[in-house]
Amino acid sequence: MRGYRNIADEFQLTRLQQSPAGVFGWKHRMGIHLAFHTNPVNNLLHIVMPPFNTLGVLLCLFPIGVPAISIGGVDMNMALIALLGTFLVYALLDVLAAVLTLAPVVLLYPLCFWIYELVGNSAVLMVVIGASLFFAALWIQVGIGHKFFEEGIGDEDENIGEVYDTFNPIYFTLLPMYSILDILFHLGYRKKTASEIRGVAQELRPLVLERKKLNPMGKGI
C-alpha cells in the first residue's frame, strides 16, 4: 500500500519507534512530509496554493444543497458540510492550526456564490471550474515547487496513491495543515512535538537525497 507507511518501511526509519504517532498517525506523517519540504520557496507555495485546492473542491460541492439542514437560518450545502467536517478533523490535531489553515478558505468561500451565479447556476460548469482550479494549484506545488526547489524529490505520488488505495481522503486532506504547523513550530509552538516531528524529517531527508543521486530521474522514493 502506498503512503507514509510505505515510505517508513522502505527507509526503515528508527525515529518513528521513539515518538508517538498521534491521531491519524499525523505526527509520523508530518515528519515524513517535512523531509520533502525544506526549501522556503516550495514551502511558500504550499502555504499559498492549498486554499485554492480547497476552494476548487468547494466549488464542485457547492451546487449540492442539503435543504434538510439549516444552521442559524443558513441553508446548508455539501461545500459547507465539507468545510465544517474538515475543521473538526483538523481540530483533533490542533485547534489553533485548524483555525489558521482554514481561515483563508473561509474568506474565499463567498466566491462560490459569485461563480455559481456567473455560470448560470450550472452544476456542470462549477465542477469543471472547481476541478481545473484544484489541479492547477496542485500542479504549481508539484511541477514547480518540488521539481525546481526541492532537488526533484517529492512525496506526492505516495500521498495520492494512498487515497486510491484506501479510499480515505482524510490523510490527503491533512497535508495543508502541516505547512501551517511547520510555521508555528518555527515560532516555538509545541516544542516537544516539534522536536519529535523534525527528528523524523532529519532522519529521512538524507536517505531520500542519496537515493535520488542513484536514480536522478526518480523522486527519491
Side-chain angles (χ1 to χ4, degrees), residues 127-146:
V127 171
V128 171
I129 295 172
S132 299
L133 179 60
F134 177 88
F135 286 110
L138 184 63
W139 180 84
I140 289 173
Q141 295 168 75
V142 175
I144 296 178
H146 284 280

Side-chain angles (χ1 to χ4, degrees), residues 30-46:
M30 181 175 172
I32 289 173
H33 185 71
L34 290 186
F36 300 89
H37 300 79
T38 62
N39 182 276
V41 176
N42 185 42
N43 287 341
L44 178 62
L45 291 176
H46 280 72

Side-chain angles (χ1 to χ4, degrees), residues 194-211:
S195 176
E196 293 169 347
I197 290 173
R198 293 196 186 286
V200 175
Q202 290 165 1
E203 178 185 5
L204 175 59
R205 187 170 178 88
L207 301 175
V208 174
L209 290 175
E210 183 63 30
R211 181 171 295 186

Side-chain angles (χ1 to χ4, degrees), residues 1-13 16 29 32 157-159 162 165 204 211 221:
M1 181 182 295
R2 289 168 290 184
Y4 99 96
R5 291 187 183 280
N6 183 49
I7 297 175
D9 293 342
E10 181 74 18
F11 290 94
Q12 300 183 357
L13 301 178
L16 296 183
R29 290 175 179 277
I32 289 173
D157 289 350
E158 294 291 326
N159 292 328
E162 187 174 31
D165 292 346
L204 175 59
R211 181 171 295 186
I221 53 178

Side-chain angles (χ1 to χ4, degrees), residues 9-213:
D9 293 342
E10 181 74 18
F11 290 94
Q12 300 183 357
L13 301 178
T14 60
R15 291 300 293 265
L16 296 183
Q17 319 299 326
Q18 305 167 12
S19 62
V23 63
F24 303 124
W26 77 270
K27 295 178 182 180
H28 290 175
R29 290 175 179 277
M30 181 175 172
I32 289 173
H33 185 71
L34 290 186
F36 300 89
H37 300 79
T38 62
N39 182 276
V41 176
N42 185 42
N43 287 341
L44 178 62
L45 291 176
H46 280 72
I47 293 170
V48 174
M49 288 294 110
F52 294 98
N53 289 120
T54 307
L55 177 60
V57 175
L58 297 182
L59 288 171
C60 294
L61 297 176
F62 184 80
I64 307 174
V66 187
I69 302 177
S70 178
I71 298 179
V74 177
D75 291 334
M76 297 294 287
N77 56 58
M78 287 304 299
L80 281 174
I81 291 176
L83 192 56
L84 178 59
T86 300
F87 175 78
L88 294 176
V89 170
Y90 283 3
L92 291 174
L93 277 61
D94 188 276
V95 174
L96 175 60
V99 171
L100 294 177
T101 303
L102 291 178
V105 180
V106 172
L107 294 176
L108 290 172
Y109 177 75
L111 289 175
C112 293
F113 293 94
W114 180 77
I115 295 174
Y116 193 43
E117 182 178 351
L118 185 67
V119 299
N121 296 348
S122 170
V124 173
L125 289 178
M126 287 289 280
V127 171
V128 171
I129 295 172
S132 299
L133 179 60
F134 177 88
F135 286 110
L138 184 63
W139 180 84
I140 289 173
Q141 295 168 75
V142 175
I144 296 178
H146 284 280
K147 183 174 182 180
F148 294 104
F149 297 104
E150 289 289 357
E151 302 183 60
I153 66 172
D155 59 345
E156 64 277 359
D157 289 350
E158 294 291 326
N159 292 328
I160 295 172
E162 187 174 31
V163 176
Y164 283 103
D165 292 346
T166 64
F167 297 102
N168 185 351
I170 288 180
Y171 306 126
F172 190 84
T173 304
L174 293 177
L175 297 177
M177 194 172 175
Y178 298 155
S179 297
I180 303 303
L181 277 166
D182 190 32
I183 294 176
L184 292 175
F185 289 165
H186 279 294
L187 297 175
Y189 185 63
R190 296 182 65 171
K191 292 182 179 180
K192 183 175 185 298
T193 299
S195 176
E196 293 169 347
I197 290 173
R198 293 196 186 286
V200 175
Q202 290 165 1
E203 178 185 5
L204 175 59
R205 187 170 178 88
L207 301 175
V208 174
L209 290 175
E210 183 63 30
R211 181 171 295 186
K212 175 69 175 177
K213 291 179 182 179

